[in-house]
PDB file of all heavy atoms in Angstrom:
ATOM      1  N   TRP A 116    -114.166 143.729  40.846  1.00  0.00           N
ATOM      2  CA  TRP A 116    -114.776 142.691  41.693  1.00  0.00           C
ATOM      3  C   TRP A 116    -113.935 142.497  42.957  1.00  0.00           C
ATOM      4  O   TRP A 116    -114.474 142.414  44.062  1.00  0.00           O
ATOM      5  CB  TRP A 116    -114.862 141.388  40.898  1.00  0.00           C
ATOM      6  CG  TRP A 116    -115.441 140.242  41.667  1.00  0.00           C
ATOM      7  CD1 TRP A 116    -116.762 139.920  41.808  1.00  0.00           C
ATOM      8  CD2 TRP A 116    -114.717 139.255  42.416  1.00  0.00           C
ATOM      9  NE1 TRP A 116    -116.895 138.792  42.595  1.00  0.00           N
ATOM     10  CE2 TRP A 116    -115.666 138.370  42.980  1.00  0.00           C
ATOM     11  CE3 TRP A 116    -113.363 139.029  42.663  1.00  0.00           C
ATOM     12  CZ2 TRP A 116    -115.286 137.279  43.770  1.00  0.00           C
ATOM     13  CZ3 TRP A 116    -112.986 137.952  43.459  1.00  0.00           C
ATOM     14  CH2 TRP A 116    -113.941 137.096  43.990  1.00  0.00           C
ATOM     15  N   PHE A 117    -112.627 142.425  42.806  1.00  0.00           N
ATOM     16  CA  PHE A 117    -111.715 142.262  43.934  1.00  0.00           C
ATOM     17  C   PHE A 117    -111.877 143.423  44.924  1.00  0.00           C
ATOM     18  O   PHE A 117    -111.931 143.220  46.141  1.00  0.00           O
ATOM     19  CB  PHE A 117    -110.278 142.196  43.402  1.00  0.00           C
ATOM     20  CG  PHE A 117    -109.218 142.212  44.466  1.00  0.00           C
ATOM     21  CD1 PHE A 117    -109.196 141.263  45.478  1.00  0.00           C
ATOM     22  CD2 PHE A 117    -108.219 143.176  44.453  1.00  0.00           C
ATOM     23  CE1 PHE A 117    -108.210 141.272  46.461  1.00  0.00           C
ATOM     24  CE2 PHE A 117    -107.231 143.205  45.424  1.00  0.00           C
ATOM     25  CZ  PHE A 117    -107.230 142.245  46.429  1.00  0.00           C
ATOM     26  N   PHE A 118    -111.970 144.628  44.392  1.00  0.00           N
ATOM     27  CA  PHE A 118    -112.148 145.805  45.243  1.00  0.00           C
ATOM     28  C   PHE A 118    -113.390 145.660  46.114  1.00  0.00           C
ATOM     29  O   PHE A 118    -113.352 145.878  47.330  1.00  0.00           O
ATOM     30  CB  PHE A 118    -112.258 147.069  44.379  1.00  0.00           C
ATOM     31  CG  PHE A 118    -112.665 148.299  45.154  1.00  0.00           C
ATOM     32  CD1 PHE A 118    -111.724 149.078  45.807  1.00  0.00           C
ATOM     33  CD2 PHE A 118    -114.004 148.691  45.227  1.00  0.00           C
ATOM     34  CE1 PHE A 118    -112.093 150.215  46.524  1.00  0.00           C
ATOM     35  CE2 PHE A 118    -114.387 149.814  45.937  1.00  0.00           C
ATOM     36  CZ  PHE A 118    -113.427 150.579  46.591  1.00  0.00           C
ATOM     37  N   TRP A 119    -114.512 145.266  45.523  1.00  0.00           N
ATOM     38  CA  TRP A 119    -115.769 145.231  46.269  1.00  0.00           C
ATOM     39  C   TRP A 119    -115.850 144.077  47.256  1.00  0.00           C
ATOM     40  O   TRP A 119    -116.469 144.216  48.309  1.00  0.00           O
ATOM     41  CB  TRP A 119    -116.956 145.210  45.316  1.00  0.00           C
ATOM     42  CG  TRP A 119    -117.281 146.580  44.803  1.00  0.00           C
ATOM     43  CD1 TRP A 119    -117.123 147.048  43.527  1.00  0.00           C
ATOM     44  CD2 TRP A 119    -117.780 147.689  45.561  1.00  0.00           C
ATOM     45  NE1 TRP A 119    -117.486 148.367  43.451  1.00  0.00           N
ATOM     46  CE2 TRP A 119    -117.904 148.787  44.683  1.00  0.00           C
ATOM     47  CE3 TRP A 119    -118.147 147.858  46.900  1.00  0.00           C
ATOM     48  CZ2 TRP A 119    -118.373 150.028  45.104  1.00  0.00           C
ATOM     49  CZ3 TRP A 119    -118.608 149.100  47.316  1.00  0.00           C
ATOM     50  CH2 TRP A 119    -118.733 150.168  46.425  1.00  0.00           C
ATOM     51  N   VAL A 120    -115.220 142.935  46.955  1.00  0.00           N
ATOM     52  CA  VAL A 120    -115.279 141.855  47.946  1.00  0.00           C
ATOM     53  C   VAL A 120    -114.416 142.201  49.165  1.00  0.00           C
ATOM     54  O   VAL A 120    -114.717 141.765  50.286  1.00  0.00           O
ATOM     55  CB  VAL A 120    -114.865 140.482  47.354  1.00  0.00           C
ATOM     56  CG1 VAL A 120    -115.873 140.020  46.323  1.00  0.00           C
ATOM     57  CG2 VAL A 120    -113.460 140.503  46.782  1.00  0.00           C
ATOM     58  N   VAL A 121    -113.350 142.994  48.965  1.00  0.00           N
ATOM     59  CA  VAL A 121    -112.575 143.475  50.108  1.00  0.00           C
ATOM     60  C   VAL A 121    -113.386 144.503  50.891  1.00  0.00           C
ATOM     61  O   VAL A 121    -113.391 144.511  52.129  1.00  0.00           O
ATOM     62  CB  VAL A 121    -111.227 144.077  49.653  1.00  0.00           C
ATOM     63  CG1 VAL A 121    -110.498 144.721  50.834  1.00  0.00           C
ATOM     64  CG2 VAL A 121    -110.346 143.001  49.027  1.00  0.00           C
ATOM     65  N   VAL A 122    -114.112 145.361  50.163  1.00  0.00           N
ATOM     66  CA  VAL A 122    -114.978 146.352  50.817  1.00  0.00           C
ATOM     67  C   VAL A 122    -116.032 145.659  51.675  1.00  0.00           C
ATOM     68  O   VAL A 122    -116.381 146.146  52.759  1.00  0.00           O
ATOM     69  CB  VAL A 122    -115.650 147.272  49.778  1.00  0.00           C
ATOM     70  CG1 VAL A 122    -116.807 148.076  50.398  1.00  0.00           C
ATOM     71  CG2 VAL A 122    -114.624 148.243  49.194  1.00  0.00           C
ATOM     72  N   LEU A 123    -116.552 144.512  51.213  1.00  0.00           N
ATOM     73  CA  LEU A 123    -117.533 143.763  51.999  1.00  0.00           C
ATOM     74  C   LEU A 123    -116.986 143.470  53.394  1.00  0.00           C
ATOM     75  O   LEU A 123    -117.692 143.633  54.400  1.00  0.00           O
ATOM     76  CB  LEU A 123    -117.893 142.448  51.305  1.00  0.00           C
ATOM     77  CG  LEU A 123    -118.682 142.516  49.997  1.00  0.00           C
ATOM     78  CD1 LEU A 123    -118.941 141.106  49.462  1.00  0.00           C
ATOM     79  CD2 LEU A 123    -119.999 143.254  50.180  1.00  0.00           C
ATOM     80  N   ALA A 124    -115.732 143.048  53.460  1.00  0.00           N
ATOM     81  CA  ALA A 124    -115.125 142.721  54.747  1.00  0.00           C
ATOM     82  C   ALA A 124    -114.931 143.973  55.597  1.00  0.00           C
ATOM     83  O   ALA A 124    -115.190 143.966  56.810  1.00  0.00           O
ATOM     84  CB  ALA A 124    -113.784 142.029  54.531  1.00  0.00           C
ATOM     85  N   ILE A 125    -114.481 145.050  54.968  1.00  0.00           N
ATOM     86  CA  ILE A 125    -114.251 146.300  55.700  1.00  0.00           C
ATOM     87  C   ILE A 125    -115.551 146.814  56.300  1.00  0.00           C
ATOM     88  O   ILE A 125    -115.624 147.176  57.484  1.00  0.00           O
ATOM     89  CB  ILE A 125    -113.634 147.359  54.772  1.00  0.00           C
ATOM     90  CG1 ILE A 125    -112.237 146.920  54.304  1.00  0.00           C
ATOM     91  CG2 ILE A 125    -113.553 148.715  55.475  1.00  0.00           C
ATOM     92  CD1 ILE A 125    -111.645 147.810  53.235  1.00  0.00           C
ATOM     93  N   GLU A 126    -116.600 146.846  55.481  1.00  0.00           N
ATOM     94  CA  GLU A 126    -117.877 147.399  55.931  1.00  0.00           C
ATOM     95  C   GLU A 126    -118.565 146.472  56.933  1.00  0.00           C
ATOM     96  O   GLU A 126    -119.201 146.946  57.884  1.00  0.00           O
ATOM     97  CB  GLU A 126    -118.793 147.663  54.725  1.00  0.00           C
ATOM     98  CG  GLU A 126    -118.230 148.645  53.706  1.00  0.00           C
ATOM     99  CD  GLU A 126    -118.031 150.036  54.277  1.00  0.00           C
ATOM    100  OE1 GLU A 126    -118.666 150.376  55.291  1.00  0.00           O
ATOM    101  OE2 GLU A 126    -117.231 150.802  53.711  1.00  0.00           O
TER     102      GLU A 126
END
Side-chain angles (χ1 to χ4, degrees):
W116 179 86
F117 172 57
F118 171 86
W119 279 111
V120 293
V121 173
V122 166
L123 292 180
I125 295 172
E126 300 297 339

